[in-house]
Short mmCIF file of all heavy atoms in Angstrom, two decimals:
data_model
loop_
_atom_site.label_atom_id
_atom_site.label_comp_id
_atom_site.label_asym_id
_atom_site.label_seq_id
_atom_site.Cartn_x
_atom_site.Cartn_y
_atom_site.Cartn_z
N GLN Y 88 64.58 128.24 101.87
CA GLN Y 88 64.58 127.97 100.37
C GLN Y 88 65.38 126.74 99.95
O GLN Y 88 66.53 126.60 100.45
CB GLN Y 88 65.02 129.24 99.55
CG GLN Y 88 66.59 129.55 99.73
CD GLN Y 88 66.87 130.37 101.04
OE1 GLN Y 88 66.04 130.66 101.81
NE2 GLN Y 88 68.19 130.57 101.32
N THR Y 89 64.84 125.94 99.03
CA THR Y 89 65.61 124.90 98.43
C THR Y 89 65.20 124.70 96.90
O THR Y 89 64.06 125.04 96.62
CB THR Y 89 65.39 123.57 99.15
OG1 THR Y 89 63.99 123.19 98.98
CG2 THR Y 89 65.77 123.51 100.57
N VAL Y 90 66.12 124.27 96.22
CA VAL Y 90 65.76 124.01 94.75
C VAL Y 90 64.69 122.94 94.84
O VAL Y 90 64.73 121.93 95.65
CB VAL Y 90 67.04 123.56 93.92
CG1 VAL Y 90 66.66 122.84 92.65
CG2 VAL Y 90 67.97 124.66 93.83
N ASN Y 91 63.75 122.87 93.99
CA ASN Y 91 62.67 121.95 93.79
C ASN Y 91 61.62 122.12 94.94
O ASN Y 91 60.72 121.21 94.92
CB ASN Y 91 63.15 120.50 93.78
CG ASN Y 91 63.91 120.25 92.42
OD1 ASN Y 91 63.44 120.67 91.50
ND2 ASN Y 91 64.98 119.58 92.51
N MET Y 92 61.58 123.05 95.75
CA MET Y 92 60.52 123.29 96.74
C MET Y 92 59.22 123.53 96.02
O MET Y 92 59.17 124.31 95.06
CB MET Y 92 60.89 124.52 97.73
CG MET Y 92 61.03 125.79 97.08
SD MET Y 92 61.49 127.02 98.46
CE MET Y 92 61.71 128.39 97.43
N GLY Y 93 58.22 122.73 96.40
CA GLY Y 93 56.96 122.84 95.71
C GLY Y 93 56.75 122.20 94.41
O GLY Y 93 55.74 122.42 93.76
N ARG Y 94 57.85 121.45 94.06
CA ARG Y 94 57.74 121.05 92.59
C ARG Y 94 56.54 120.02 92.50
O ARG Y 94 55.96 120.07 91.34
CB ARG Y 94 59.10 120.23 92.32
CG ARG Y 94 59.22 119.75 90.93
CD ARG Y 94 60.50 119.32 90.43
NE ARG Y 94 60.71 119.41 89.09
CZ ARG Y 94 61.81 119.79 88.47
NH1 ARG Y 94 62.94 119.91 89.23
NH2 ARG Y 94 61.87 119.91 87.26
N GLN Y 95 56.23 119.12 93.37
CA GLN Y 95 55.18 118.18 93.20
C GLN Y 95 53.83 119.00 93.20
O GLN Y 95 52.87 118.70 92.38
CB GLN Y 95 55.10 117.14 94.40
CG GLN Y 95 54.10 116.17 94.21
CD GLN Y 95 54.14 114.99 95.19
OE1 GLN Y 95 54.89 115.03 96.02
NE2 GLN Y 95 53.32 113.96 94.95
N LEU Y 96 53.69 119.97 93.92
CA LEU Y 96 52.47 120.95 93.85
C LEU Y 96 52.37 121.64 92.51
O LEU Y 96 51.32 121.65 91.94
CB LEU Y 96 52.46 122.01 94.95
CG LEU Y 96 52.24 121.62 96.45
CD1 LEU Y 96 52.51 122.74 97.40
CD2 LEU Y 96 50.90 120.91 96.51
N TYR Y 97 53.53 122.10 91.91
CA TYR Y 97 53.53 122.60 90.69
C TYR Y 97 53.21 121.72 89.73
O TYR Y 97 52.40 121.99 88.70
CB TYR Y 97 54.95 123.14 90.33
CG TYR Y 97 55.00 123.97 89.04
CD1 TYR Y 97 54.65 125.39 89.08
CD2 TYR Y 97 55.54 123.45 87.97
CE1 TYR Y 97 54.63 126.03 87.85
CE2 TYR Y 97 55.51 124.16 86.71
CZ TYR Y 97 55.16 125.45 86.67
OH TYR Y 97 55.12 126.23 85.59
N ALA Y 98 53.57 120.42 89.76
CA ALA Y 98 53.26 119.38 88.81
C ALA Y 98 51.77 118.86 88.89
O ALA Y 98 51.17 118.60 87.85
CB ALA Y 98 54.16 118.28 88.90
N THR Y 99 51.15 119.00 90.08
CA THR Y 99 49.91 118.40 90.25
C THR Y 99 48.74 119.27 90.50
O THR Y 99 47.54 118.87 90.47
CB THR Y 99 49.94 117.34 91.37
OG1 THR Y 99 50.22 117.99 92.66
CG2 THR Y 99 51.00 116.22 91.09
N GLN Y 100 49.02 120.54 90.91
CA GLN Y 100 47.86 121.53 91.36
C GLN Y 100 47.79 122.63 90.47
O GLN Y 100 48.66 123.49 90.48
CB GLN Y 100 48.12 121.91 92.87
CG GLN Y 100 48.18 120.84 93.75
CD GLN Y 100 46.97 120.02 93.83
OE1 GLN Y 100 45.88 120.63 93.88
NE2 GLN Y 100 47.14 118.75 93.82
#
Side-chain angles (χ1 to χ4, degrees):
Q88 68 278 357
T89 61
V90 167
N91 290 321
M92 61 183 173
R94 187 172 209 144
Q95 188 172 6
L96 289 173
Y97 187 80
T99 63
Q100 299 301 314

